[in-house]
Amino acid sequence: MTYITKPQLHHPALAKNSLGYTRRDYEGSVSTLCAGCGHDSISAAIIQAVYELELPPHRIAKLSGIGCSSKTPDYFLGNSHGFNTVHGRMPSVLTGANLANKDLIYLGVSGDGDSASIGLGQFAHAIRRGVNMLYIVENNGVYGLTKGQFSATSDKGSKSKRGVTNHDAGIDLVSIALQLGATFVARSFSGDKEQLVPLIKAGLNHRGAAFIDCISPCVQFNNHQGSTKSFDYVREHNEAVNRLDVIAPRAPINVDYAPGETVKVQQHDGSILSLHKLADLYNPNNRAQALGYLQARQARGQIVTGLLYVDPASSDLHDGLQTVDTPLNELGGPELVPGAAALDRINAALR
């Protein structure tokens, strides 16, 4: 049995968003992952994020590869478009879908094996091309489906459940995403829903390549002493550079306060937002500083989480290709087949 269908009956008192959807309307099948798996927490955060963003499920396309992480799209957004690709090939399939129909909201879900091993080249090219998507890697540093071998993101010196030490340097996908030009880069932890939900909301709203590396402990093979991807290790070594929330576009509210100070700011709806400036010199709009900060904290054994970098003036693949406003899959014959004269002009320009 690959999935268990959830009952369609909803409690009549469930809260609804402005579209009339309840949180249950954004769910999928019952998870068949191990009880306590961090991936299920990420699925719950995605459900919460799209419910709060009030996104129509039919406007979302979710794509995945192979692995425990790539099974999870079956557990959320059951009424959205979905495509489960082969191992490591999700980014290219997503790129093709995005080129054909840029009006959809694209969510790619992958794992550390799917993206940092066989799919590393696919990951790199999707990021550098600026495909308009939110790319989430559910990173547990282990191959859970094949019984607990180290993955490419396993940290050097970490130990497996059987006590074997990893002697290979781990691949840091966050650093690679920064170097390749991603315009939204974040890291989070499946056990920190308060941080993860706003990051997912911001990533879905971002135009361009948005990437979230989410540490997601494998309770079966990588949640023991000696692992650097366990619940206890991440909680003890987590350094959040910021806390954020996502607010729908309105007139800007400006506030100026000192590092270490907490201020309360009234929002447009009358609610009060409490702000605390955590990192004195951290600027999430500076790519080079983000990369240096990340590497400095890694050398101390710390795991930096939060919004690490964002480009407020970002663009995407369609901007670079200068495609027309109409999605390509909606164009008719006259637009797609301009005729022999147009082809002759193109060939003449290449001579």
Side-chain angles (χ1 to χ4, degrees):
M1 181 183 296
T2 58
Y3 68 90
I4 304 171
T5 304
K6 287 185 178 179
Q8 295 298 313
L9 181 64
H10 292 187
H11 194 283
L14 288 177
K16 297 181 179 180
N17 58 24
S18 65
L19 299 179
Y21 293 116
T22 69
R23 188 183 180 281
R24 285 287 311 276
D25 293 315
Y26 293 97
E27 295 178 354
S29 302
V30 175
S31 172
T32 59
L33 297 175
C34 303
C37 178
H39 294 359
D40 284 333
S41 297
I42 299 174
S43 295
I46 292 172
I47 292 168
Q48 187 67 29
V50 293
Y51 167 74
E52 292 180 3
L53 286 176
E54 302 181 329
L55 298 178
H58 66 275
R59 289 200 57 237
I60 302 172
K62 51 179 184 173
L63 294 92
S64 62
I66 296 295
C68 291
S69 58
S70 295
K71 293 172 61 179
T72 61
D74 194 36
Y75 311 142
F76 58 82
L77 293 171
N79 294 317
S80 296
H81 305 281
F83 196 102
N84 184 235
T85 72
V86 294
H87 204 184
R89 270 56 179 181
M90 177 273 288
S92 58
V93 176
L94 189 152
T95 301
N98 182 277
L99 283 170
N101 187 359
K102 62 182 180 181
D103 278 354
L104 294 178
I105 300 167
Y106 287 92
L107 172 62
V109 179
S110 184
D112 42 306
D114 196 53
S115 284
S117 290
I118 190 170
L120 184 58
Q122 299 262 323
F123 166 80
H125 292 298
I127 294 295
R128 78 178 183 88
R129 288 176 178 140
V131 180
N132 191 20
M133 62 178 175
L134 171 57
Y135 193 127
I136 299 177
V137 167
E138 300 180 347
N139 186 355
N140 55 21
V142 73
Y143 292 116
L145 284 182
T146 52
K147 310 310 177 192
Q149 304 94 325
F150 292 118
S151 82
T153 65
S154 300
D155 295 310
K156 187 174 184 178
S158 62
K159 293 186 177 181
S160 69
K161 189 175 181 179
R162 291 184 291 178
V164 178
T165 301
N166 180 34
H167 298 290
D168 298 328
I171 292 176
D172 180 21
L173 291 173
V174 165
S175 297
I176 292 176
L178 283 167
Q179 292 173 327
L180 290 171
T183 50
F184 179 104
V185 181
R187 172 178 283 140
S188 193
F189 172 44
S190 64
D192 189 353
K193 190 176 180 181
E194 182 181 351
Q195 181 192 65
L196 180 57
V197 170
L199 286 174
I200 294 174
K201 291 168 67 177
L204 288 170
N205 277 329
H206 182 77
R207 180 178 178 84
F211 174 66
I212 299 177
D213 176 40
C214 191
I215 299 175
S216 178
C218 174
V219 293
Q220 188 67 254
F221 296 109
N222 211 15
N223 194 38
H224 52 271
Q225 188 173 1
S227 166
T228 58
K229 297 286 193 294
S230 67
F231 281 108
D232 288 342
Y233 186 91
V234 177
R235 289 192 180 107
E236 291 171 4
H237 296 81
N238 185 1
E239 180 190 348
V241 295
N242 45 45
R243 289 283 178 179
L244 69 154
D245 200 354
V246 176
I247 302 173
R250 299 235 181 119
I253 299 175
N254 299 315
V255 61
D256 185 21
Y257 61 109
E261 182 183 352
T262 301
V263 297
K264 296 185 181 298
V265 183
Q266 185 171 359
Q267 302 301 294
H268 294 284
D269 61 359
S271 61
I272 301 297
L273 178 66
S274 180
L275 299 175
H276 180 75
K277 192 169 290 188
L278 291 179
D280 188 358
L281 299 176
Y282 193 82
N283 178 11
N285 300 136
N286 187 318
R287 187 185 299 274
Q289 186 188 67
L291 192 56
Y293 189 93
L294 188 69
Q295 293 174 343
R297 292 303 186 273
Q298 283 178 337
R300 301 180 190 177
Q302 295 174 326
I303 299 171
V304 180
T305 63
L307 178 58
L308 306 177
Y309 174 76
V310 63
D311 180 359
S314 61
S315 59
D316 76 335
L317 178 62
H318 286 274
D319 295 324
L321 295 177
Q322 297 182 339
T323 59
V324 296
D325 293 335
T326 304
L328 301 185
N329 68 336
E330 296 180 11
L331 296 177
E335 296 89 359
L336 295 174
V337 187
L343 182 60
D344 289 341
R345 288 195 299 271
I346 294 173
N347 288 334
L350 297 175
R351 290 192 178 96

